[in-house]
Amino acid sequence: MTSSFEPDRRRVLLGAAGAALGAALPLSGARAQELATTAEAQPDAAESDRIAAEFLGGVAPLAEGLAMELPATADNPAAVPLRVHVTEALTEDLWCEELIILAELNPLPLACRYRFSAATGAADVALRLRLIRSMEVRALARLSDGRVLEARAAVEAGVGGCGM
Amino acid sequence: MSRPPRLWISSATPAKGEIIRVRVQIQHVMESGFRLDWNGAPLERNLLTRFEARLNETLLMEWEPGASISQNPYVEFAFAARESGTLRMLWLDDRGMRLEAEREIILSPA
Amino acid sequence: MIKRRSFLIGAAAGAGVLGLNGGRLLAAPSVLSSSVQLMPREGSGPRIVICGGGWGGLTAARHLREEIPEADVILLERNPFFWSCPMSNKWLIDVVDTAFLTHDMLAPAQAHGYKLVHCEITEIERDKKQVRTSRGVVDYDYLILSGGIRNDYEAWFGNDQTAIEQTRRNFPSAYIPSSEHIALKNKLKNFKGGVIVMTLPPPPHRCPPSPYERACLMAWHIKTNNIPGKILILDPKPRIAPIGAGYKAAFDELYPDIITHVPNARVKSVDPFNKRISTEAGDFDFDDAVLMPPHQASDLVWRADLIGKDAEGKPTGWADMHPRLYHANSDEDVYIVGDSMGAISPQFGHYPKSGHVANYIAKIVARNIAQRVRGEEVVAELPDNLCYMLVNGDPLEAISVEFLYDVGPDGLVRQTQIDIDVRTPDLMDEDFVWIKGMFDDFLV
């Protein structure tokens, strides 16, 4: 057996390669859960309600006509699938102008805003939300005839961060 | 690690008026601006700021995502195919990233 | 030169027979003795023996020869030719042909100057730094175990060899290169209808997203041939993962009448004679099945006595190894490469057991051994992983998952997972580019 192939002093550079790689990597995915965050859940729906009122502009929302698909339990709070769509047929004379999604207790409740046009012919979107805790998700859609449609659903999110 | 947008459409040769479903996903960190690095310093916000989809020049949908949108943002929407043309999609982020994707849509004869 | 070498080989073989067998086998050719020295040492460098000529072993052999040109590299492999498990699901529906999966292993051995010996490994004697094989004994300075996985049928059947044989023969798992892949393909082609049950191994297992890919492609065959068949996926996990949303869309949209995914269906018992399976999500009868038992590290790691133990002292089933340097914790001269590797980090557990990771780790290990041989500092490196999974046969549309790794301030490896759930033809195109790059690395 040849022992001369053994290095005399075997120093291991642990971490050096890792640190270099880390700098180049996006901070994302599961490991994000380990990073400290200043994100804080909203104490209540007040901020969400304020944004909703601004969107409504005094119009009373209708509880029919906007469908929301949201799982009752979020396996992964960092990517909760959500689909929202206007159920009635949209035409060149009737379209959805604007649609907002509110994650009521997230630090910034306005998750996103969509705008469509008379050319779109549909208002049917899906996306993935990251949720800081269990909460209600709310969607409001304004049609070109002035009506505002509303849908809500609650989602149970497991404990732990959501990468926010 | 830059990869192109991944795009799926339900039909590239729809009948006139057919509702086409579109799914697109890009790789993006969606850094919320809330997180701290290992030294406790805030990580600079880098969110997708805008997505838009047009058929030729006609706007079909614009989207303004915020910090509540997941990493590697997934976008699904639908539109009525009323004319042939190029479906053009555009993504912008806080750091000036600009991504584009397009797909030809050709109406099938009735 | 030739004359001298012939003489030396003869001498060594002769010594083996006389010395170790006391002349008992004199009637047979001396090479047929398992006690003979397998091969004399060559070169001025270390001898590195690689057990297992799959994705990890073939890669290690080539890169060791490049990193350490003076090394004597011997690759021990039981199979007569190379069969790629990656892409083999696509082969089930003829997206690629058999020639795409099967490869000559002599060509890379010749091109890179390592020795390829087809044999069965019978014992690994680390105290003597030697490996016993069906072709003789071989000593080493460094040993690489790259044997992939073994099917842990014992988890279902204990030592009931009759039940194990019935299951393996009739409902092959086809997750290890063997006749099982061909049997599965024939089974699919001859399928006339009924319920096919597919049991998924509990994590960690080989190629995590691939059982769902197999379900999709079998369903595609069933759909396009109008066969009145259904596929029941019995999944021990609470949800489809990885690429869960992409797979769910494929199941719901492409195969709504064929595929049913049953979560939390950990297998409790299997009756391969009466075609019945009992799980935590209920009992199921089947007409045919792909019964994938739990996976564990290959026989080699067990033979080397390098399997880890959990807190209760029970075997983990996987190698007990350094998570950054890939050698056994109890033996720095023995490296574990590929699917047999043990847990890497408490954050995510194991590296995905994929050909990509085996190839990547093998290259790192080749560099690390070279650093040791040259007396240099050993640099710990991390892999990445990339999997493309075909979900539709026409058009060919794939989804994908990518894993990235880095090291946290606590020194632990962390994983970032990127699922691409939108099925597109360009991901399938990228898959072909990916595998060509892989094959060019270790099969040419």
Side-chain angles (χ1 to χ4, degrees), chain C residues 415-435:
Chain C
Q415 172 175 281
T416 298
Q417 177 177 342
I418 301 169
D419 285 353
I420 297 297
D421 297 298
V422 177
R423 58 177 185 268
T424 67
D426 53 314
L427 287 169
M428 191 59 231
D429 296 341
E430 287 177 27
D431 196 8
F432 281 111
V433 173
W434 168 80
I435 200 157

Side-chain angles (χ1 to χ4, degrees), chain A residues 57-71:
Chain A
V59 176
L62 305 171
E64 301 284 312
L66 191 63
M68 178 182 282
E69 294 171 22
L70 181 71

Side-chain angles (χ1 to χ4, degrees), chain C residues 50 63 118 165 291:
Chain C
I50 303 164
H63 288 273
H118 290 289
E165 179 55 21
L291 297 180

Side-chain angles (χ1 to χ4, degrees), chain C residues 207-209 243 352 354 385-389 399-403 431:
Chain C
C207 200
I243 344 178
S354 69
N385 188 43
L386 189 55
C387 300
Y388 299 96
M389 292 286 133
I399 54 182
S400 78
V401 59
E402 192 172 341
F403 294 90
D431 196 8

Side-chain angles (χ1 to χ4, degrees), chain A residues 28-49:
Chain A
S28 56
R31 57 164 286 211
Q33 298 177 8
E34 301 168 14
L35 277 182
T37 175
T38 57
E40 282 182 30
Q42 292 281 343
D44 53 40
E47 173 63 6
S48 175
D49 290 345

Side-chain angles (χ1 to χ4, degrees), chain A residues 10-11 13 17 31 128, chain C residues 332 377-378 380 406 414 421:
Chain A
R10 194 162 151 235
R11 279 210 294 127
L13 296 184
R31 57 164 286 211
R128 291 180 193 155
Chain C
E332 291 191 350
E377 290 164 334
V378 174
D406 73 340
R414 299 174 303 186
D421 297 298

